[in-house]
Amino acid sequence: MLGNNTVYNDTKSDNLGGLIMSKRALITGVTGQDGSFLSEFLLEKGYEVHGIIRRSSVDYRERIAHLEGKPNFHLHFGDMGDSMSLVKVVGAVRPDEVYNLAAQSHVQVSFDSPEFTADVDATGVLRVLEAVRACGLEKTCRIYQASTSELYGKVEEVPQNENTPFHPYSPYAVAKLYGFWIVKEYREAYNMFCCSGILFNHESERRGETFVTRKITLAAARIAQGHQDCLYLGNLDSLRDWGYAKDYVECMWLILQNDKPEDFVIATGVQHSVREFTTLAFKHVGIELRFEGNGVDEKGICIAVSGSAPQSLVGKTLVAVSEDFYRPTDVVNLWGDPTKAKAKLGWNPNKTSFEELVKIMVEHDMAKVASEGAAAKVRTNLAEYLEKGIVK
């Protein structure tokens, strides 16, 4: 249901651990990975959930299609680049909580579109805060800002916590740093309950297909089923703290239920390399890899297969490195410390293990590739591969 002018009643319950029948949440970026999981989470808690979507001739709502039509789920047209549209939606919904998840969230794309990234990821945060103030909700509405571990960039200490110095290392990270600081400024200048969750990498079966983890799990499924020859990656030594997005949205909610507005690192506290993720993903489809060489000459060679994986793959190079997937400035060592979130919010960062996360993603993509049936084989000549826009 789409609408912009409905006004909702103000009845609430204080029982934050149970049903909150009329508590209203407004989510920007509702069609994304996090937005879809957060919508499900809040609906289960009895919230009235409102999401902002952009007008488009192409439908990008597949992640929330199963929620449309539910009585407590509503969609509104708006845009992070249009302050008036945000004011209108906030004024119509009058939310108790706002979750600003909307962003141009791809690091590599931010090098190609730095101005757009800045407008959405930096100024867009300001527009949300001002919309809440313009509607007179600064004393009643709590705001969550989706920040990022990319703020740490060229890391100055490991692991990273709430006190670690920031050193952004991409246009995306620089834009997100403005968002972090403007939230802090509004909290202190206007006494608003607004907080940032510094999210480390969080993945799922709903992750966009151009992100490296989903690129890996899809390639593993396609190679195992004969629809792709080789997976091209960038820096295999990059280290990340990967968690499950479905677990992370719970922490977002907990941050807004805290007694006072504070910023929190959201991470698992466990670190893995791109190489480890790749090895485990291929193992789940029955392909054992051995990596040989270094840097751009490194290759992942199939040394054994099991299950339904074809024997013909043995001895073939299934993973290769290409400089085309290296970034102008690359963050190589992100590792979060979730001690504060565990202690103050009671959040469990290890509800889903790294191994379980990879398995969830691979099983989803094995089924997805199988359902595509006789779809055209993915061409893996590197030039064609790049043309398809399969980026790191």
Side-chain angles (χ1 to χ4, degrees), residues 1-5 26-27 30-31 50-59 61 68 74-80 82-90 92-93:
M1 175 181 174
L2 293 171
N4 289 309
N5 301 310
L26 178 63
I27 303 172
V30 71
T31 60
H50 298 258
I52 296 180
I53 62 172
R54 288 182 294 167
R55 287 190 184 274
S56 174
S57 59
V58 180
D59 189 359
R61 290 185 274 173
E68 294 191 56
H74 311 271
L75 296 176
H76 307 261
F77 286 120
D79 196 292
M80 294 298 290
D82 179 5
S83 58
M84 285 305 299
S85 71
L86 297 178
V87 170
K88 288 179 181 178
V89 174
V90 171
V93 176

Side-chain angles (χ1 to χ4, degrees), residues 16 23-26 95-100 132 137-145 192-195 253-261:
L16 296 177
K23 202 165 189 182
R24 291 184 296 275
L26 178 63
D96 301 289
E97 298 172 1
V98 171
Y99 296 85
N100 184 36
V132 170
L137 301 175
E138 65 269 28
K139 302 302 181 187
T140 59
C141 179
R142 297 186 173 196
I143 304 167
Y144 170 85
Q145 165 62 18
M192 293 173 66
F193 197 111
C194 47
C195 320
W253 176 77
L254 287 169
I255 287 173
L256 292 195
Q257 314 317 308
N258 198 30
D259 291 337
K260 63 177 182 177

Side-chain angles (χ1 to χ4, degrees), residues 236-256:
L236 296 177
D237 292 317
S238 288
L239 295 166
R240 292 291 184 272
D241 183 331
W242 278 299
Y244 189 28
K246 192 173 183 178
D247 298 338
Y248 281 33
V249 299
E250 179 188 14
C251 195
M252 297 177 189
W253 176 77
L254 287 169
I255 287 173
L256 292 195

Side-chain angles (χ1 to χ4, degrees), residues 321-355:
V321 173
S322 170
E323 287 183 320
D324 292 283
F325 298 112
Y326 279 74
R327 297 167 182 164
T329 49
D330 198 12
V331 176
V332 298
N333 192 13
L334 293 178
W335 181 11
D337 178 2
T339 299
K340 181 180 177 182
K342 288 194 293 184
K344 289 197 171 185
L345 304 177
W347 180 61
N348 177 12
N350 304 116
K351 184 176 180 180
T352 305
S353 69
F354 174 71
E355 292 75 14

Side-chain angles (χ1 to χ4, degrees), residues 89-226:
V89 174
V90 171
V93 176
R94 301 192 69 78
D96 301 289
E97 298 172 1
V98 171
Y99 296 85
N100 184 36
L101 311 183
Q104 188 302 99
S105 57
H106 202 289
V107 174
Q108 179 59 51
V109 171
S110 77
F111 286 99
D112 300 324
S113 302
E115 183 179 350
F116 172 73
T117 301
D119 187 48
V120 174
D121 297 8
T123 312
V125 182
L126 176 62
R127 294 186 184 109
V128 170
L129 292 167
E130 278 296 294
V132 170
R133 291 186 66 232
C135 295
L137 301 175
E138 65 269 28
K139 302 302 181 187
T140 59
C141 179
R142 297 186 173 196
I143 304 167
Y144 170 85
Q145 165 62 18
S147 195
T148 172
S149 60
E150 293 286 334
L151 296 183
Y152 300 116
K154 194 173 182 180
V155 297
E156 299 187 15
E157 66 180 36
V158 289
Q160 295 96 42
N161 60 35
E162 292 81 4
N163 299 313
T164 301
F166 297 136
H167 192 150
Y169 218 41
S170 67
Y172 166 73
V174 172
K176 280 288 193 175
L177 185 59
Y178 175 90
F180 176 89
W181 281 111
I182 201 65
V183 164
K184 186 176 176 64
E185 175 62 24
Y186 272 55
R187 185 166 70 218
E188 296 178 359
Y190 301 113
N191 197 30
M192 293 173 66
F193 197 111
C194 47
C195 320
S196 291
I198 305 173
L199 278 80
F200 280 67
N201 294 68
H202 48 295
E203 316 298 322
S204 77
E205 65 275 25
R206 299 180 188 177
R207 189 58 139 153
E209 295 181 11
T210 61
F211 288 83
V212 68
T213 52
R214 191 76 195 288
K215 176 180 164 181
I216 292 168
T217 58
L218 272 169
R222 288 170 177 154
I223 290 171
Q225 296 182 44

